[in-house]
Amino acid sequence: MEGFTVGVTANRRAEELAAMLARKGAEVVCAPALRIVPLSDDERLADVSRALIDRPADVVVATTGIGFRGWLEACETWGLAEPLTAALRSSRLLARGPKAKGAIRAAGLTEEWSPPSESSAEVLDHLLERGVAGLRVAVQLHGEPLPDFCAALRMAGAEVVQVPVYRWTGPEDPAPLDRLIEAACGGGLDALTFTSAPAAAGLLQRARATGADRALLRALRAGRPMAMCVGPVTAAPLAAEDVPVHWPARGRIGALVRRLSEELPRTCPELPVAGRVLRVRGRAAEVDGVLRPVTPAPMRLLRELADRPGRVRHRSELLAALGPEADAHAVETAVARLRAALGDPGMIQTVVKRGYRLALDAMPCE
């Protein structure tokens, strides 16, 4: 991913994800779109925990590792951890994924079942197939309510107890997120990564609050930046806005990085230019397989030329691409810098009294 810039919206494990992307060669910009607020001082969670101690659930669904651990840690502060753990031993424990499974086992408990898809929908199907009529089912929430999940259980005859372990809210300092949104709108990012649905929703919510939502959605719908999610549940808030989304077959951040490293280069078609092979990356040009860094203004000009390869672009069009602050000589300066960066001045052809074009070779007929 050398030559590409990737935005990271995660709160948890952001450093780990950023390090993986950097090892692939990407330039990484981190700006959490949310933060997790534990409910260790929340009386509602304490009341739910006491109710489950007094009358244990028949089934307990653990949806996230951090949430299940946070539940027990909060109970430690109230002196309820031991009686809650004892109550959970009498329940059938279902884990939505491996992290939830690990948290259950770390507490000295054993899960009965976990879906291979790591999907809440598959957990729900499993419960409904086995029957929940007359059962007391506790569902550990993961930052947002699960209305459809819980409603389906109630309709099937279950008594549902929702366990609100933590909630999502906006970042304490929104400035980095605002800069990330600005970069996404302005073509400064090649991809945005999302590891949770609340992060995707949080980005859109912040964009709406600052009036940048139309520009952001326009950029995302055009695939620049590419939206790469850890899974379909994470992608849902973006898909609801008609944003094309990508995710790996397995919901892991390592798989996300691998999928992104495969997909991003495919967005850069090969162009035969002046006897060379040109690929335009996010902040670099690849010429005959050699990566050549290009500074922002010449890169904006190169993208304009490459978007319509071989077509003459008038100076006024290129000046507009350089931004409202560019002066009359900015195009000539950017062209000179671009030719130097590419290492072959002949790749950018001057068309007298008209503008500039890529010196595109004849494309082979397919």
Side-chain angles (χ1 to χ4, degrees):
M1 283 192 282
E2 291 182 358
F4 292 113
T5 302
V6 180
V8 171
T9 62
N11 175 263
R12 295 179 52 249
R13 304 182 72 187
E15 291 185 4
E16 181 183 355
L17 176 54
M20 289 182 180
L21 291 165
R23 283 197 292 272
K24 290 285 188 179
E27 181 176 320
V28 183
V29 180
C30 292
L34 51 83
R35 62 189 170 100
I36 299 171
V37 180
L39 299 183
S40 59
D41 59 346
D42 189 270
E43 193 58 33
R44 183 180 166 204
L45 177 59
D47 288 344
V48 168
S49 301
R50 292 188 184 99
L52 290 172
I53 291 169
D54 294 340
R55 185 178 160 220
D58 299 291
V59 180
V60 175
V61 179
T63 59
T64 63
I66 187 175
F68 193 83
R69 286 194 301 272
W71 183 14
L72 295 181
E73 288 168 4
C75 286
E76 286 279 4
T77 66
W78 304 316
L80 300 177
E82 288 189 14
L84 177 63
T85 302
L88 292 175
R89 286 197 177 93
S90 65
S91 304
R92 293 162 44 203
L93 298 177
L94 274 59
R96 183 174 65 93
K99 295 176 186 176
K101 184 191 302 184
I104 289 172
R105 294 182 180 182
L109 303 167
T110 304
E111 80 286 350
E112 177 185 274
W113 181 82
S114 182
S117 68
E118 305 172 33
S119 160
S120 295
E122 192 168 351
V123 174
L124 178 60
D125 289 344
H126 176 82
L127 286 169
L128 296 179
E129 286 172 6
R130 298 194 61 174
V132 294
L135 298 184
R136 183 172 166 86
V137 181
V139 181
Q140 172 246 309
L141 305 180
H142 52 81
E144 289 185 332
L146 295 170
D148 295 340
F149 187 97
C150 295
L153 292 174
R154 290 192 182 99
M155 289 180 65
E159 175 192 352
V160 179
V161 180
Q162 298 184 65
V163 183
V165 179
Y166 56 86
R167 60 185 172 88
W168 304 107
T169 188
E172 287 183 301
D173 179 10
L177 183 58
D178 290 344
R179 290 193 293 270
L180 187 76
I181 292 171
E182 183 180 1
C185 295
L189 295 178
D190 300 291
L192 271 171
T193 60
F194 301 92
T195 58
S196 70
L203 179 84
L204 297 174
Q205 182 178 350
R206 181 61 187 174
R208 283 191 291 270
T210 60
D213 51 322
R214 289 186 179 180
L216 177 63
L217 287 173
R218 186 164 54 247
L220 287 169
R221 287 167 182 163
R224 193 182 191 97
M226 176 186 292
M228 181 62 69
C229 301
V230 76
V233 174
T234 296
L238 297 166
E241 297 289 347
D242 296 322
V243 172
V245 286
H246 307 263
W247 60 79
R250 288 181 58 79
R252 300 284 190 280
I253 63 171
L256 178 152
V257 172
R258 286 192 296 274
R259 177 74 190 274
L260 186 59
S261 68
E262 294 167 357
E263 292 295 331
L264 267 184
R266 292 174 185 164
T267 66
C268 308
E270 291 186 355
L271 297 174
V273 179
R276 298 178 179 275
V277 177
L278 171 69
R279 281 175 166 255
V280 181
R281 296 200 171 203
R283 55 187 169 84
E286 183 184 305
V287 180
D288 291 341
V290 177
L291 205 65
R292 293 182 170 272
V294 182
T295 53
M299 179 54 73
R300 286 196 290 273
L301 189 146
L302 178 58
R303 287 198 194 102
E304 286 294 313
L305 296 174
D307 281 346
R308 296 174 177 84
R311 176 179 169 181
V312 178
R313 304 303 301 276
H314 195 272
R315 284 182 175 81
S316 61
E317 293 180 282
L318 299 176
L319 183 62
L322 293 177
E325 298 179 0
D327 59 32
H329 302 290
V331 174
E332 287 74 13
T333 301
V335 168
R337 291 177 177 171
L338 178 57
R339 283 171 168 158
L342 295 176
D344 183 350
M347 296 178 72
I348 309 297
Q349 185 179 48
T350 301
V351 181
V352 179
K353 295 184 180 180
R354 292 180 62 192
Y356 300 92
R357 65 185 286 272
L358 285 180
L360 194 70
D361 299 333
M363 299 287 284
C365 297
E366 294 185 1

